[in-house]
Amino acid sequence: MSNFKDLGIHQELIQALDELHINTPTVIQTQAIPVLLKDKTDFIGQAQTGTGKTAAFGLPLLQLVNPEQKSIQAIIICPTRELGQQIAKQLFKFTKYVSKKIFVEAVYGGEKIDIQIGRLKRPTQILVATPGRLIDLLERKAVDLKEVKTIILDEADEMLSMGFKPDIDKILSHTAQIDRNIWLFSATIPSAIKQIISDYMADDAYKIEVDHKDVMNTAIKHQYVICDIKDKPNLLQSFIKNNDDKRGIVFCKTKAGAQTLAKQLLAKNLKVESIHGDLGQRDREKVMRAFKSERLQVLIATDISARGIDVSNLSYVIHYQLPEQLEYFTHRSGRTARAGNKGLSLAFVAPSELEKITALEKELNIYFEKISI
């Protein structure tokens, strides 16, 4: 098994990784880091959320950036403000012991653009951005991308599913005359992603693919309970009350489902709130502050709204409704069992959905234990 030193990571970064309990490289880190450090290349990494992608591209990027040069040298484009904030925070933590500081700034919708323009007047080497906000800043000539050497598209398929393809095309076209490399990370490679690869990336772009079976955290226990839809609210209520000393996230497939479930549980005097696409930025931040400070026991979320959530010490994740996509199951489950802790991933399954459990076991190489509540 390789370590970060063998992969070529500097000791001052490794010191920060040790402090974060990141000691053994994941599959994508082992495969990507040496390539990104040594070869000036376009790169395609096909991997699910939860595989350690941020470190896979973040560590090489931090070593390649020139701290003496005050201009933006790299852009990381991602689908949501939460993921953008998380990436920026993670990169900041990686640089704790770096002697010459590298400055990272995150820009996204939901915050006044003038405030972000003001911050960008300070030295910034790495810019983390959502597509729409980056376009806004470019149109205002508030960012200068002439010195950009690397553009990273993180969760590219998610950005396309959210309708950002025109923005990504515009950004990549805008930087087409610059001698830059594109590092693309995506769970899946649908036709629209293939089009981006064809239009903007070199024919000899280096590609790696992480198998689903290499993704799942072995510290997560997977269980399922069979129940009719009408019984789910009472069953969930019982579970939460039986685990009143523990905190977790409950996942629904739709905004309406998350809102309805939150109302049902609040009526039972449980400490829950929901986050979803209709929630304004201020309200969303208020809910997240309450959850992180442990004033809430349970957060009810949709898959998209949970992108970028990073809350420590979550004991469980509940799939109140099974997701449609395999990578969403991985992403959901990965909210628990972090930093060396153990966690539970519990699925509420209708009798007609049992074949989905079998499919998940086969695809992800995991075992589900059937339980009753």
Side-chain angles (χ1 to χ4, degrees):
M1 179 68 72
S2 62
N3 56 43
F4 286 103
K5 184 178 180 181
D6 293 338
L7 297 179
I9 298 301
H10 292 166
Q11 183 56 41
E12 52 193 10
L13 290 172
I14 293 173
Q15 190 176 349
L17 293 175
D18 288 341
E19 202 167 277
L20 295 166
H21 306 291
I22 302 173
N23 308 112
T24 304
T26 65
V27 175
I28 194 167
Q29 290 161 6
T30 301
Q31 294 184 26
I33 288 172
V35 175
L36 298 178
L37 278 175
K38 293 174 185 173
D39 297 328
K40 196 170 183 294
T41 180
D42 285 348
F43 179 89
I44 302 159
Q46 186 174 352
Q48 314 295 313
T49 298
T51 50
K53 288 189 281 94
T54 303
F57 64 71
L59 294 171
L61 189 62
L62 290 168
Q63 286 190 197
L64 294 171
V65 161
N66 178 3
E68 305 288 353
Q69 185 180 322
K70 304 306 180 187
S71 54
I72 297 170
Q73 298 165 52
I75 316 170
I76 302 169
I77 305 171
C78 58
T80 65
R81 53 184 172 249
E82 286 76 24
L83 184 56
Q85 289 168 326
Q86 182 181 316
I87 290 170
K89 183 179 176 183
Q90 196 78 356
L91 295 182
F92 176 75
K93 287 179 179 178
F94 290 162
T95 59
K96 181 174 181 179
Y97 297 104
V98 171
S99 54
K100 293 184 178 178
K101 283 299 175 189
I102 296 166
F103 295 95
V104 182
E105 196 64 63
V107 294
Y108 41 80
E111 182 181 53
K112 288 184 178 178
I113 195 167
D114 292 339
I115 293 172
Q116 295 177 351
I117 290 172
R119 289 204 298 261
L120 288 171
K121 289 177 180 174
R122 303 180 301 202
T124 302
Q125 282 102 6
I126 299 174
L127 181 64
V128 186
T130 51
R133 181 47 55 98
L134 183 54
I135 293 289
D136 291 342
L137 290 166
L138 287 170
E139 289 176 347
R140 292 180 182 225
K141 295 183 168 42
V143 289
D144 184 355
L145 305 183
K146 288 198 296 288
E147 301 299 325
V148 167
K149 300 289 188 292
T150 310
I151 296 176
I152 298 168
L153 302 177
D154 190 23
E155 302 202 358
D157 54 350
E158 195 64 43
M159 287 195 282
L160 267 56
S161 72
M162 294 169 70
F164 286 129
K165 175 77 161 57
D167 288 344
I168 291 170
D169 282 330
K170 190 177 287 189
I171 293 163
L172 295 180
S173 297
H174 182 88
T175 59
Q177 306 308 314
I178 303 169
D179 183 21
R180 44 83 168 136
N181 289 117
I182 298 172
W183 302 351
L184 182 147
F185 290 82
S186 189
T188 58
I189 309 289
S191 57
I193 296 288
K194 290 177 182 173
Q195 191 66 52
I196 285 176
I197 293 169
S198 172
D199 290 346
Y200 302 106
M201 298 177 72
D203 293 338
D204 61 350
Y206 195 98
K207 182 177 180 182
I208 64 172
E209 181 176 355
V210 177
D211 192 282
H212 295 310
K213 294 179 176 61
D214 293 321
V215 174
M216 294 306 296
N217 184 340
T218 55
I220 301 172
K221 178 189 284 188
H222 296 276
Q223 296 179 336
Y224 72 96
V225 58
I226 300 174
C227 54
D228 291 324
I229 292 173
K230 62 181 173 54
D231 296 327
K232 283 186 178 184
N234 288 333
L235 205 63
L236 180 59
Q237 180 190 344
S238 297
F239 178 88
I240 293 171
K241 286 187 173 180
N242 290 341
N243 294 274
D244 60 358
D245 59 332
K246 297 174 181 175
R247 298 192 310 136
I249 300 180
V250 176
F251 280 96
C252 297
K253 285 199 293 189
T254 65
K255 291 182 285 188
Q259 289 169 311
T260 300
L261 182 58
K263 287 177 183 176
Q264 290 172 323
L265 296 177
L266 282 168
K268 303 290 185 181
N269 296 318
L270 295 174
K271 296 177 182 177
V272 306
E273 287 287 355
S274 64
I275 56 168
H276 46 78
D278 288 345
L279 211 59
Q281 177 72 354
R282 184 175 295 178
D283 290 335
R284 182 189 175 88
E285 288 178 353
K286 182 180 176 183
V287 171
M288 287 309 301
R289 278 197 303 272
F291 191 49
K292 287 184 177 182
S293 64
E294 302 189 14
R295 297 196 303 275
L296 293 178
Q297 184 187 355
V298 173
L299 185 69
I300 299 167
T302 55
D303 290 294
I304 297 298
S305 70
R307 291 279 170 176
I309 287 178
D310 187 16
V311 181
S312 58
N313 300 320
L314 294 184
S315 298
Y316 59 83
V317 164
I318 292 179
H319 310 270
Y320 191 73
Q321 297 162 319
L322 284 173
E324 297 295 338
Q325 299 179 41
L326 190 71
E327 58 265 25
Y328 282 176
F329 184 88
T330 305
H331 173 75
R332 290 175 173 189
S333 300
R335 301 304 95 198
T336 187
R338 294 194 161 200
N341 297 314
K342 294 188 180 299
L344 170 67
S345 171
L346 174 62
F348 283 23
V349 181
S352 60
E353 295 179 306
L354 281 173
E355 61 187 31
K356 289 187 178 181
I357 294 295
T358 304
L360 286 168
E361 286 183 320
K362 183 178 179 182
E363 284 294 321
L364 299 175
N365 195 30
I366 57 178
Y367 167 72
F368 278 88
E369 176 191 4
K370 180 182 174 183
I371 65 161
S372 59
I373 297 175

